[in-house]
């Protein structure tokens, strides 16, 4: 019997076309030496969209859609929908309690393409670390955001990982009570954050994070790739389904043109015109200004929690 590798995603109907592209790429490049269970966390989806994604199933690849609405009912009102982040991004924080049968899993965002063998990432030994992730490259290379992570969160930006590709040690996650501590923080405080779930994960797991080569989560920036480019993650505001000049955007279109969502993706791109681009670029500038505002605020992790 081949060993099963559990891989989690989270989505809503807006992002499901890009989920399909991510899943297609993952399956095409995954080693046949393993079985794969892809778990799609959601709070309700169009059955027609679900059926399209399920067409990716084949021997050795199972795709399960799990509605977690009931689990989040009591606290979802506290989740902040900040800039381009939606409440969907918080779902990954609850995998440990929702799936007690697993001690180690992968979590992937929808806005990426897997160009390497995902089983190689899963096989990395986390030791006593709670999670493994690649550096948040945009934050690393932007002075305002380096200041944000250091002064607002108390974390060096070189140790700050992007939460869109995570190798999770759920056994350690449970032992350290990360989920309970997260719920406690969002219940007791109202932190002003740029990247809500990512900030919480980095803060709660600090000192117990294995920093991986950026080839396992390469953002579309003109930076050297550390090792093989195994995952291209369109984590910045410019998405290849909206802009023409996205670095490594060709990887996305290679799979998108084979997706049953291709026509919808093309329609969405055509509808994303000059006005939408101007609004996105204005938001990007606002985020930069907001980073410095947070640094000067008293309502930060490093200031509020240090006082306790």
């Amino acid at each position: 019997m081949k060993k099963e590798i559990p891989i989690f995603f989270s989505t809503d109907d807006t992002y499901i076309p890009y989920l399909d592209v991510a899943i297609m790429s993952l399956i095409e490049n995954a080693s046949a030496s393993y079985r794969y269970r892809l778990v799609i966390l959601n709070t309700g989806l169009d059955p027609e969209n679900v059926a399209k994604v399920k067409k990716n199933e084949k021997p050795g690849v199972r795709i399960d859609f799990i509605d977690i609405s009931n689990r989040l009912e009591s606290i979802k009102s506290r989740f902040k929908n900040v800039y381009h982040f939606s409440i969907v991004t918080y779902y990954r924080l609850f995998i440990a309690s929702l799936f007690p049968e697993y001690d180690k899993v992968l979590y992937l965002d929808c806005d990426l393409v897997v160009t390497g063998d995902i089983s190689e990432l899963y096989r990395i030994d986390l030791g006593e670390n709670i999670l493994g992730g690649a550096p948040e490259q945009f934050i690393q290379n932007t002075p305002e955001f380096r200041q944000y992570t250091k002064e607002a969160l108390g974390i060096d930006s070189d140790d700050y990982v992007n939460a869109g590709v995570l190798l999770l040690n759920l056994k350690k996650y449970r032992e350290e009570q990360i989920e309970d501590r997260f719920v406690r923080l969002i219940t007791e405080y109202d932190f002003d954050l740029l990247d809500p779930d990512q900030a919480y994960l980095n803060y709660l797991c600090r000192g117990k994070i294995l920093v991986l080569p950026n080839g396992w989560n390469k953002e579309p920036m003109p930076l050297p790739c550390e090792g093989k480019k195994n995952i291209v993650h369109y984590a910045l505001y410019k998405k290849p389904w909206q802009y023409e000049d996205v670095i490594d955007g060709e990887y996305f279109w290679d799979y998108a043109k084979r997706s049953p969502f291709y026509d919808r993706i093309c329609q969405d791109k055509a509808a994303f015109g000059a006005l939408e681009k101007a609004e996105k670029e204005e938001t990007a500038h606002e985020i930069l200004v907001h980073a410095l505002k947070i640094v000067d605020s008293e309502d930060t992790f490093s200031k509020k929690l240090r006082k306790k």
Side-chain angles (χ1 to χ4, degrees):
M1 176 70 78
K2 295 178 182 178
K3 182 176 180 178
E4 180 185 81
I5 295 179
I7 304 170
F8 287 76
F9 294 86
S10 57
T11 194
D12 55 20
D13 278 313
T14 300
Y15 253 74
I16 207 165
Y18 315 114
L19 166 72
D20 188 66
V21 172
I23 286 176
M24 287 176 62
S25 67
L26 184 154
I27 293 171
E28 186 166 305
N29 294 293
S31 169
S33 299
Y34 298 87
R35 292 180 297 115
Y36 301 88
R37 183 190 180 198
L38 310 185
V39 180
I40 319 303
L41 304 178
N42 66 89
T43 52
L45 295 168
D46 183 331
E48 186 176 333
N49 288 336
V50 170
K52 286 180 180 179
V53 175
K54 291 276 282 184
K55 288 180 181 178
N56 289 295
E57 287 188 319
K58 66 177 189 176
V61 179
R62 169 182 161 193
I63 302 175
D64 294 326
F65 285 80
I66 308 292
D67 189 324
I68 60 172
S69 303
N70 292 339
R71 178 66 183 86
L72 302 181
E73 191 61 39
S74 63
I75 57 172
K76 69 180 181 181
S77 63
R78 299 184 180 276
F79 295 166
K80 288 189 174 183
N81 193 336
V82 180
Y83 297 115
H84 58 287
F85 297 94
S86 75
I87 64 169
V88 171
T89 66
Y90 291 94
Y91 299 171
R92 74 198 82 187
L93 291 156
F94 299 92
I95 293 172
S97 63
L98 289 169
F99 298 88
E101 65 269 33
Y102 294 126
D103 284 339
K104 185 182 184 183
V105 304
L106 285 167
Y107 175 86
L108 303 179
D109 273 351
C110 296
D111 57 346
L112 55 75
V113 171
V114 182
T115 56
D117 176 7
I118 199 68
S119 73
E120 293 180 9
L121 176 57
Y122 184 80
R123 294 200 306 269
I124 291 174
D125 185 3
L126 284 172
E128 291 300 302
N129 289 300
I130 301 170
L131 61 85
E136 174 41 82
Q137 294 132 68
F138 186 65
I139 283 179
Q140 272 188 327
N141 291 277
T142 309
E144 293 86 349
F145 295 138
R146 289 184 69 91
Q147 191 177 358
Y148 162 75
T149 59
K150 182 178 180 181
E151 297 188 26
L153 305 176
I155 303 170
D156 189 300
S157 60
D158 292 333
D159 299 321
Y160 196 79
V161 298
N162 180 282
V165 178
L166 295 173
L167 179 60
L168 292 164
N169 180 347
L170 297 188
K171 184 173 183 293
K172 195 71 178 172
Y173 193 99
R174 296 181 192 107
E175 289 173 1
E176 298 284 341
Q177 300 181 317
I178 300 300
E179 181 180 319
D180 290 342
R181 289 162 61 195
F182 164 69
V183 172
R184 233 176 5 251
L185 284 177
I186 64 168
T187 302
E188 294 179 17
Y189 301 95
D190 185 25
F191 293 117
D192 191 4
L193 298 167
L194 296 176
D195 51 347
D197 63 307
Q198 183 169 274
Y200 281 108
L201 274 171
N202 274 276
Y203 180 81
L204 291 168
C205 300
R206 66 197 186 283
K208 297 176 182 177
I209 295 175
L210 178 65
V211 179
L212 304 175
N214 70 21
W216 281 113
N217 187 351
K218 184 66 178 65
E219 295 179 23
M221 297 180 65
L223 298 170
C225 183
E226 299 163 358
K228 183 184 175 186
K229 192 180 290 181
N230 291 294
I231 295 178
V232 176
H233 183 194
Y234 306 106
L236 309 184
Y237 79 91
K238 282 190 172 184
K239 309 295 185 184
W241 52 89
Q242 295 172 338
Y243 289 82
E244 299 287 350
D245 57 343
V246 178
I247 294 173
D248 291 330
E250 66 274 14
Y251 292 102
F252 172 80
W253 288 109
D254 182 45
Y255 290 97
K257 67 187 179 185
R258 292 181 265 153
S259 168
F261 292 96
Y262 181 62
D263 287 345
R264 175 175 158 185
I265 291 170
C266 290
Q267 288 167 7
D268 288 348
K269 187 172 187 294
F272 194 82
L275 178 61
E276 288 77 16
K277 289 176 181 176
E279 288 176 350
K280 258 212 166 182
E281 282 147 28
E282 183 181 349
T283 299
H285 176 70
E286 287 175 4
I287 293 172
L288 205 66
V289 173
H290 192 178
L292 297 179
K293 178 184 174 184
I294 292 173
V295 167
D296 292 332
S297 168
E298 289 301 312
D299 296 328
T300 66
F301 283 85
S302 58
K303 291 176 184 175
K304 268 196 171 180
L305 299 183
R306 191 169 54 205
K307 293 175 182 177
K308 288 186 72 66

